[in-house]
Amino acid sequence: MTTLATPQALHARIRESLRSQILSGHYGQHDKLPSEKQLMESFGVSRITVRHALGALEQEGMIFRIAGKGCYVAKSKPAQTLTRLQGFAEAMHSQGYAACNRVLSLQTLPASETVAQAFGVAVGTPMVELRRLRYLDNLPVSLDISYFTQELGLRLAREDLASRDVFHILENDYGLPLGHADLSIEATLASAEEAQLLDVAPAAPLLALQRMTRGADGAGLELDFIRYRADRFRYQLRVERN
């Protein structure tokens, strides 16, 4: 007895076929994809099935649609290397993306146990918390929550944090050279607040990064808790065998 493929299986097959061709370079950036009619004929499916497949790729950010013209391959997903300590805007500008920030809040709070341990201070020590929503090409890509000592944080409060990277301010304005950062990356699910700010569904997958940046002298400068939209950002790393 022959088992008929479900509509879900059919549009998944189209989606994966197109995704594979995009990732392999068969379709390059800004190349036009086959029309809905061509895909219908190639896969022997209905228009609604094709539109489901294309809609899924559009949600992932792999393609974009121009009304009356069709679907095109989007820019490759922005990436930041793990082998070099860079600010977000610094890394994105080099790839041709326009990055900006929206400052959500900047306030003095008592250090939690995690923050206190990272900076080597007592729990409850006054620290400055900076919350920013970061955008690439006017689309939200990450929610950044950063902590600084009170002295440094109050200095930063006077800066243009909407358009400048903190790293750039520290090194170029304050003469505080960066040394290294310790970081961890894991998968997480969006809370209700994160989902609203990042324009994703509640419990959508996010990339969670925790990073402690220290100066050349080893002093703690910035502790970051960052939530990235997994469909709009990635980290990459080249690993040598020897």
Side-chain angles (χ1 to χ4, degrees), residues 26-76:
H26 179 78
Y27 293 116
Q29 181 176 309
H30 295 164
D31 281 353
K32 185 177 181 180
L33 294 179
S35 67
E36 291 183 357
K37 183 178 180 181
Q38 289 172 319
L39 291 171
M40 290 166 57
E41 293 173 351
S42 295
F43 289 92
V45 296
S46 66
R47 186 178 299 274
I48 190 65
T49 299
V50 167
R51 287 182 173 175
H52 273 306
L54 294 174
L57 291 173
E58 189 174 12
Q59 282 191 323
E60 293 175 24
M62 295 195 74
I63 67 173
F64 63 94
R65 192 186 306 266
I66 299 178
K69 293 184 179 295
C71 292
Y72 297 79
V73 178
K75 280 185 180 180
S76 59

Side-chain angles (χ1 to χ4, degrees), residues 27-211:
Y27 293 116
Q29 181 176 309
H30 295 164
D31 281 353
K32 185 177 181 180
L33 294 179
S35 67
E36 291 183 357
K37 183 178 180 181
Q38 289 172 319
L39 291 171
M40 290 166 57
E41 293 173 351
S42 295
F43 289 92
V45 296
S46 66
R47 186 178 299 274
I48 190 65
T49 299
V50 167
R51 287 182 173 175
H52 273 306
L54 294 174
L57 291 173
E58 189 174 12
Q59 282 191 323
E60 293 175 24
M62 295 195 74
I63 67 173
F64 63 94
R65 192 186 306 266
I66 299 178
K69 293 184 179 295
C71 292
Y72 297 79
V73 178
K75 280 185 180 180
S76 59
K77 187 185 294 187
Q80 189 165 354
T81 180
L82 289 173
T83 57
R84 184 182 176 199
L85 183 56
Q86 289 182 299
F88 180 75
E90 177 187 7
M92 296 301 100
H93 287 163
S94 65
Q95 298 175 50
Y97 291 95
C100 64
N101 312 315
R102 175 157 68 95
V103 177
L104 302 175
S105 64
L106 193 150
Q107 58 185 326
T108 299
L109 297 172
S112 66
E113 185 175 348
T114 300
V115 174
Q117 184 177 6
F119 281 93
V121 299
V123 173
T125 298
M127 307 291 289
V128 170
E129 178 196 78
L130 169 64
R131 293 166 59 91
R132 291 167 293 173
L133 191 59
R134 315 199 76 167
Y135 294 80
L136 287 180
D137 294 345
N138 296 317
L139 297 173
V141 69
S142 74
L143 172 64
D144 295 23
I145 303 176
S146 306
Y147 294 90
F148 309 90
T149 62
Q150 188 174 38
E151 179 184 4
L152 182 56
L154 293 179
R155 290 182 70 186
L156 288 168
R158 299 191 291 268
E159 307 294 346
D160 179 8
L161 299 174
S163 63
R164 301 187 65 197
D165 266 343
V166 170
F167 282 1
H168 190 269
I169 295 171
L170 296 179
E171 289 198 310
N172 293 277
D173 295 9
Y174 299 171
L176 296 173
L178 304 181
H180 69 277
D182 297 305
L183 56 86
S184 62
I185 302 173
E186 61 184 352
T188 190
L189 301 178
S191 67
E193 179 191 17
E194 292 164 348
Q196 182 179 17
L197 289 169
L198 292 171
D199 193 24
V200 297
L206 300 177
L207 193 62
L209 178 140
Q210 179 176 329
R211 179 179 65 197

